[in-house]
Amino acid sequence: MQVLSPSFQCLAQSSNTAAVDLLLSMITDSDAVIRVSVMGALLERQEKRCCEAVLAAWDSLDLDCRRILRKRKQWLEPAVERALKGRGKDLPLAISATESLGLHSVVHLLVPIIETHPSELIRESASKTLLELVHQLGREARVGRMNSKIRPALVAALADSCKRYDKHRNAELVDAFLTLCTWDDAELRDLISAKSTSAKLIGERLQTTERVAIVELLTGFIRKRNVPSYIFKIMAQRDDEIYRDALLRTIGRDPASIVLRNLQEMGMPRCCVGGAALMDRVSPDHRAAAVHVYNRTHTNLLGYLRLLVAAVELGGPGCDAAVIAGLNRCAVPSAKTWLRAAIILSSGDRASIDSDPDSDLLERLIHLLDRSNTGLARAVRRVLEPLHAQPMLERLQGLPVDHRRAMGRIVMMVDGDAIGKIRDGLRHPVLKKRLAAISAADALATVDLLGDAFERIAREDHQDARVLACQVMANAESRVSLQLLNEMANLPPCPVRDAAIEAIEKRLTTLQK
């Protein structure tokens, strides 16, 4: 509280009208100390002409005086209210004081001024003040700090003004209404309903405005139920960066189920088109939200997977969790797609791999398996399921030996349970399945790790299985496999003995090299 000198205390408390006249004559004194003291003394007086004189001198008041008034703005409020209603010579000053002091209780008086005042300058000044003050009120309301006495009446006044748009044609009044609103306001729900004559007007402002508060209002519909379909259409069509960042910020890193359902209903927002390149354009804090958008709206599976990989590689809060959620629910690419990519990747030709998007994608997915996040590794293995050992057993058997082994290395990287699945295949009751498993063991270079299974095949299995086992043990290195070949080489003349002898000779040749 300001402490006045004895002289100004006397002027503040005197019942003599001459004291008021003296104070008013010093409002614009050249001495800053005097001006501040005058303002402090006037604030202690309740005469109507005191606050009216201060308003009349508004343009001459320095920052210190205005700062004092801001702390006691209710003192000047009656004079401002009378000036706004009277629309006299002090109207421009009242508009300026309303904005500077934040006089929310008189903001509703600006609406008819903006609609009907003959002066364009006055209308523009009033519009500027209205938008500034409703921005504050709207922001507080949307975060739960609602002024229950002021805002509802102002919302109603602006809603009525929107209905009179054909008369005043002032889009800033519509913007002020939208800036002030929350999603739960009955007036907003009424004006955006499909049956409302104002729906088209509101939609046009939502479609084109760059005002942050209105953009946030628009993006907030992603969290609401029973949203008119044309609102989702607007949300899907906007492609500006301001809107994109607000939408991703609203969606967040861990969106609620209603947000995910609304995304699915809305479809891919145009502002998020771009696939993996989008991850470079958005901030790390927004990447997880962008992934959730694609989790629900993607139409190009492989392009979507490239985006997921880019999100993990670039990183950002919540990215891994969002990517895992997507990988666990998306479709699995066809075996044909992965086989083609794997063949190119297994060639080791760097130029070919880099020039083929699918092979590059496969390589990057395999690299993700080395990360410490086990949930991510499981999710990646899910989409690479066609390259797991089980589905690859018979496919590997049909490949040339060189391709088979190159592919086998990829299968081993993709499928952590490959050896167990091959072991199961070597015991399968169907001969065809066992033959496929024998070829797979060779392709994956796991023959030496499956000595017990090959021992049973070498001694007990069908002739075709034993012959093939000899052929793959020719590429093995363990003593167990060599011992089994020697046993079969000592059999009576038969295809198995011939295959065993040939395998031993091949191993000897390899050793000599």
Side-chain angles (χ1 to χ4, degrees), residues 282-322:
V282 300
S283 80
D285 288 338
H286 293 161
R287 284 192 186 118
V291 170
H292 284 297
V293 170
Y294 271 79
N295 286 351
R296 293 290 168 163
T297 63
H298 72 271
T299 54
N300 179 337
L301 178 57
L302 295 178
Y304 165 63
L305 292 177
R306 280 187 275 276
L307 174 133
L308 296 185
V309 172
V312 175
E313 291 173 345
L314 292 170
C319 268
D320 281 8

Side-chain angles (χ1 to χ4, degrees), residues 344 349-360:
I344 296 173
D349 184 339
R350 191 73 256 166
S352 298
I353 296 169
D354 291 342
S355 63
D356 183 76
D358 297 347
S359 301
D360 176 71

Side-chain angles (χ1 to χ4, degrees), residues 346-504:
S346 66
S347 71
D349 184 339
R350 191 73 256 166
S352 298
I353 296 169
D354 291 342
S355 63
D356 183 76
D358 297 347
S359 301
D360 176 71
L361 171 62
L362 176 58
E363 182 178 45
R364 292 164 70 194
L365 283 168
I366 291 173
H367 286 164
L368 296 187
L369 297 173
D370 294 330
R371 292 185 173 242
S372 58
N373 190 327
T374 56
L376 178 62
R378 283 195 300 271
V380 170
R381 287 193 169 97
R382 175 187 171 273
V383 296
L384 296 179
E385 190 276 335
L387 295 179
H388 286 206
Q390 192 63 46
M392 286 295 291
L393 291 179
E394 293 186 19
R395 296 189 184 109
L396 287 171
Q397 187 180 14
L399 294 175
V401 174
D402 291 344
H403 284 177
R404 183 193 306 164
R405 289 177 189 150
M407 287 286 288
R409 287 191 291 273
I410 291 176
V411 172
M412 286 292 287
M413 288 187 284
V414 168
D415 188 355
D417 299 325
I419 294 177
K421 292 172 182 175
I422 292 174
R423 190 184 300 277
D424 291 341
L426 293 173
R427 293 195 296 261
H428 200 281
V430 177
L431 175 61
K432 182 179 179 181
K433 299 290 185 181
R434 295 199 301 279
L435 294 175
I438 293 169
S439 295
D442 178 43
L444 274 60
T446 58
V447 173
D448 291 332
L449 301 176
L450 297 164
D452 55 337
F454 273 89
E455 184 176 348
R456 186 194 61 77
I457 291 172
R459 292 171 179 168
E460 303 173 9
D461 214 322
H462 187 279
Q463 176 177 285
D464 291 349
R466 297 169 75 192
V467 169
L468 183 57
C470 290
Q471 293 171 353
V472 301
M473 283 192 285
N475 302 314
E477 298 176 353
S478 68
R479 292 182 179 180
V480 172
S481 60
L482 182 58
Q483 180 182 340
L484 291 173
L485 287 173
N486 285 327
E487 284 183 17
M488 290 185 283
N490 290 321
L491 291 172
C494 66
V496 173
R497 188 187 78 163
D498 295 343
I501 293 171
E502 185 178 345
I504 292 170

Side-chain angles (χ1 to χ4, degrees), residues 77 178-179 191 262 354 414 425 458 469 474 496:
E77 190 174 297
L178 294 173
T179 299
L191 290 186
N262 284 341
D354 291 342
V414 168
V496 173

Side-chain angles (χ1 to χ4, degrees), residues 117-381:
H117 199 281
S119 169
E120 184 177 354
L121 288 176
I122 292 292
R123 293 197 304 273
E124 288 178 354
S125 176
S127 294
K128 176 178 175 293
T129 297
L130 175 66
L131 286 166
E132 177 64 29
L133 296 185
V134 297
H135 178 78
Q136 299 172 17
L137 290 172
R139 180 176 54 198
E140 291 176 357
R142 283 191 286 274
V143 297
R145 296 195 300 271
M146 192 175 297
N147 187 323
S148 59
K149 294 181 180 179
I150 297 174
R151 203 186 70 87
L154 184 54
V155 169
L158 286 169
D160 290 340
S161 181
C162 289
K163 295 173 184 177
R164 297 191 294 269
Y165 178 78
D166 286 342
K167 294 181 179 179
H168 59 74
R169 310 296 294 179
N170 192 317
E172 290 188 331
L173 284 167
V174 183
D175 285 359
F177 169 71
L178 294 173
T179 299
L180 182 62
C181 276
T182 70
W183 304 275
D184 297 325
D185 286 326
E187 292 85 353
L188 177 64
R189 293 198 301 272
D190 176 54
L191 290 186
I192 67 172
S193 69
K195 297 179 181 179
S196 170
T197 56
S198 301
K200 182 179 179 181
L201 170 65
I202 299 295
E204 288 173 351
R205 299 310 298 159
L206 292 173
Q207 178 80 58
T208 59
T209 186
E210 293 185 358
R211 296 186 190 277
V212 174
I214 303 177
V215 171
E216 290 176 349
L217 179 73
L218 175 61
T219 60
F221 283 113
I222 200 69
R223 295 177 174 175
K224 302 300 175 181
R225 291 178 169 81
N226 303 318
V227 178
S229 58
Y230 80 90
I231 295 290
F232 279 152
K233 185 176 180 180
I234 291 171
M235 295 177 71
Q237 288 177 342
R238 284 197 63 154
D239 60 0
D240 53 293
E241 189 173 320
I242 293 174
Y243 170 74
R244 181 197 69 202
D245 290 345
L247 177 63
L248 296 179
R249 188 164 51 248
T250 303
I251 292 169
R253 303 168 193 168
D254 185 22
S257 57
I258 183 61
V259 173
L260 298 176
R261 286 198 297 272
N262 284 341
L263 278 172
Q264 197 147 351
E265 180 180 345
M266 181 175 72
M268 174 64 71
R270 191 176 295 174
C271 65
C272 291
V273 170
L278 178 68
M279 294 295 102
D280 287 315
R281 297 201 298 268
V282 300
S283 80
D285 288 338
H286 293 161
R287 284 192 186 118
V291 170
H292 284 297
V293 170
Y294 271 79
N295 286 351
R296 293 290 168 163
T297 63
H298 72 271
T299 54
N300 179 337
L301 178 57
L302 295 178
Y304 165 63
L305 292 177
R306 280 187 275 276
L307 174 133
L308 296 185
V309 172
V312 175
E313 291 173 345
L314 292 170
C319 268
D320 281 8
V323 168
I324 290 170
L327 290 173
N328 282 332
R329 74 183 301 272
C330 72
V332 175
S334 67
K336 181 179 179 181
T337 297
W338 283 145
L339 281 172
R340 177 188 168 279
I343 288 171
I344 296 173
L345 181 59
S346 66
S347 71
D349 184 339
R350 191 73 256 166
S352 298
I353 296 169
D354 291 342
S355 63
D356 183 76
D358 297 347
S359 301
D360 176 71
L361 171 62
L362 176 58
E363 182 178 45
R364 292 164 70 194
L365 283 168
I366 291 173
H367 286 164
L368 296 187
L369 297 173
D370 294 330
R371 292 185 173 242
S372 58
N373 190 327
T374 56
L376 178 62
R378 283 195 300 271
V380 170
R381 287 193 169 97

